[in-house]
Amino acid sequence: MEKALRIAVLDMNNGVQNEGMRCIRKAIENFGEEEGFPVTYEVFNVRQENRVPDLGFDGYISSGGPGSPHPAGEPWERKFFNFLDAVLLYNQNRKNRIKKPVLLICHSFQLACIYWKAGLVGNRRSTSFGTFPVHKTRYAHDEPLFEGLDDPFWVVDSRDFQVIQPNGPVLERMGAKILCLEKIRPHVDLERAVMAIRFTKEIIGTQFHPEADAAGMGRHFTNEERREKIIKTYGKAKYEDMIAHLGDPDKIALTESVILPRFLASVRKAAGVFQEINEAGPGVMS
């Protein structure tokens, strides 16, 4: 019988209702159904329950969340940073032939950039909310998780903070590569934010939300109360653009169909190697 793929989901939403966790759960469940093999997941409520996973899972997805990413001395922060250290050290250990893939989304991405000193994380002049194009760097063309996406490709973005001024020496020491940047704005004299980094061969982070379920989010945001709130805050034109982009199969739906499924496929590949080694017997490497 095939071993189930085990995914740990780190919920960073601090109890705030959101679409991101629904989208992550749906993506994991759909992946197992479409690939025809068992996939299980466990959710760890990091900020409310001070819980993080151990290294017994095959892969890890850490969600977005509200509030400032800058540490405030809360107990969960040390646990989360210890988790980052543990998975990084595990993957660096050559004795561990089977690695642990990690996907860090939005708030988790910002936390990692602060902890690893990968760049400056600061407040945006105004909230970024909606659907936007992001532009690939030359490194993104060799990124397996972005294969099949256009340049630029479209993403769902929701944030008050941004990563700018990447720390070259730190990124070089980690072997990290910046994969994409904020949309080009010739009329705005501001540095473009970093939108994704491949930190290591196993760890990738995105500022945007690759889990965004275009159809589900379209239904969510057409709710009358939410619709009026978005229009009041961001304007009718932005609302109508967002709804149109969510309904376009070449925009958000394409991104949704590529990044997270490819990440889960990379987890499955690692878990498959693990099965082969186990079947070969203790201490036998394939």
Side-chain angles (χ1 to χ4, degrees):
M1 182 177 179
E2 188 169 13
K3 168 183 173 285
L5 198 67
R6 298 184 67 230
I7 307 296
V9 180
L10 287 78
D11 181 354
M12 305 294 285
N13 288 284
N14 204 23
V16 176
Q17 290 292 322
N18 69 97
E19 284 293 290
M21 287 299 296
R22 177 190 65 80
C23 292
I24 290 171
R25 290 186 178 97
K26 177 175 176 286
I28 296 171
E29 292 164 2
N30 286 351
F31 182 77
E33 290 173 6
E34 291 169 5
E35 296 296 319
F37 70 95
V39 180
T40 65
Y41 64 88
E42 183 176 349
V43 176
F44 294 80
N45 189 333
V46 179
R47 296 170 70 176
Q48 282 192 308
E49 298 177 4
N50 197 24
R51 293 182 66 228
V52 297
D54 60 22
L55 296 180
F57 293 85
D58 298 308
Y60 302 83
I61 300 171
S62 192
S63 79
S68 171
H70 291 283
E74 298 183 24
W76 68 264
E77 294 167 350
R78 175 45 51 195
K79 282 206 168 185
F80 180 73
F81 294 142
N82 286 345
F83 163 76
L84 291 181
D85 280 338
V87 75
L88 186 63
L89 289 172
Y90 178 94
N91 287 331
Q92 288 174 343
N93 189 336
R94 293 183 180 181
K95 293 181 180 179
N96 296 324
R97 295 290 299 274
I98 309 310
K99 306 303 182 181
K100 305 286 185 177
V102 180
L103 173 61
L104 303 164
I105 298 172
C106 196
H107 191 82
S108 298
F109 170 71
Q110 294 167 356
L111 283 164
C113 285
I114 290 170
Y115 184 61
W116 288 328
K117 297 180 172 59
L120 176 66
V121 179
N123 292 78
R124 285 180 53 82
R125 180 178 292 181
S126 60
T127 299
S128 176
F129 176 82
T131 53
F132 303 94
V134 296
H135 295 261
K136 293 180 178 179
T137 69
R138 61 189 179 92
Y139 299 111
H141 298 284
D142 296 321
E143 171 54 55
L145 267 58
F146 287 1
E147 186 177 339
L149 294 177
D150 297 328
D151 187 12
F153 63 95
W154 286 80
V155 303
V156 170
D157 195 22
S158 177
R159 59 194 167 92
D160 292 310
F161 295 83
Q162 62 184 355
V163 180
I164 56 173
Q165 299 179 25
N167 188 331
V170 167
L171 296 179
E172 184 176 358
R173 186 164 60 249
M174 293 182 73
K177 306 294 183 186
I178 294 172
L179 299 176
C180 54
L181 298 171
E182 198 171 23
K183 65 179 180 178
I184 298 172
R185 301 169 297 170
H187 58 290
V188 178
D189 188 24
L190 293 172
E191 183 178 355
R192 292 161 66 199
V194 175
M195 297 300 289
I197 297 176
R198 166 63 72 180
F199 291 105
T200 70
K201 289 181 180 180
E202 300 81 21
I203 303 175
I204 187 170
T206 67
Q207 177 62 83
F208 57 88
H209 288 269
E211 79 279 17
D213 168 2
M217 292 192 70
R219 291 190 296 271
H220 177 79
F221 288 123
T222 51
N223 170 278
E224 187 64 26
E225 183 179 345
R226 298 187 189 100
R227 177 181 180 276
E228 292 305 316
K229 184 177 180 180
I230 293 170
I231 290 174
K232 183 178 179 180
T233 305
Y234 301 104
K236 188 174 182 180
K238 174 163 279 192
Y239 175 81
E240 291 177 344
D241 281 347
M242 183 179 71
I243 296 301
H245 295 158
L246 288 172
D248 187 333
D250 294 324
K251 289 187 168 63
I252 304 306
L254 178 61
T255 302
E256 171 203 345
S257 72
V258 171
I259 297 178
L260 196 44
R262 283 186 174 275
F263 172 77
L264 292 168
S266 74
V267 177
R268 186 191 183 189
K269 183 178 180 181
V273 173
F274 178 77
Q275 291 163 25
E276 292 172 6
I277 291 174
N278 276 356
E279 290 166 3
V284 179
M285 297 294 180
S286 59

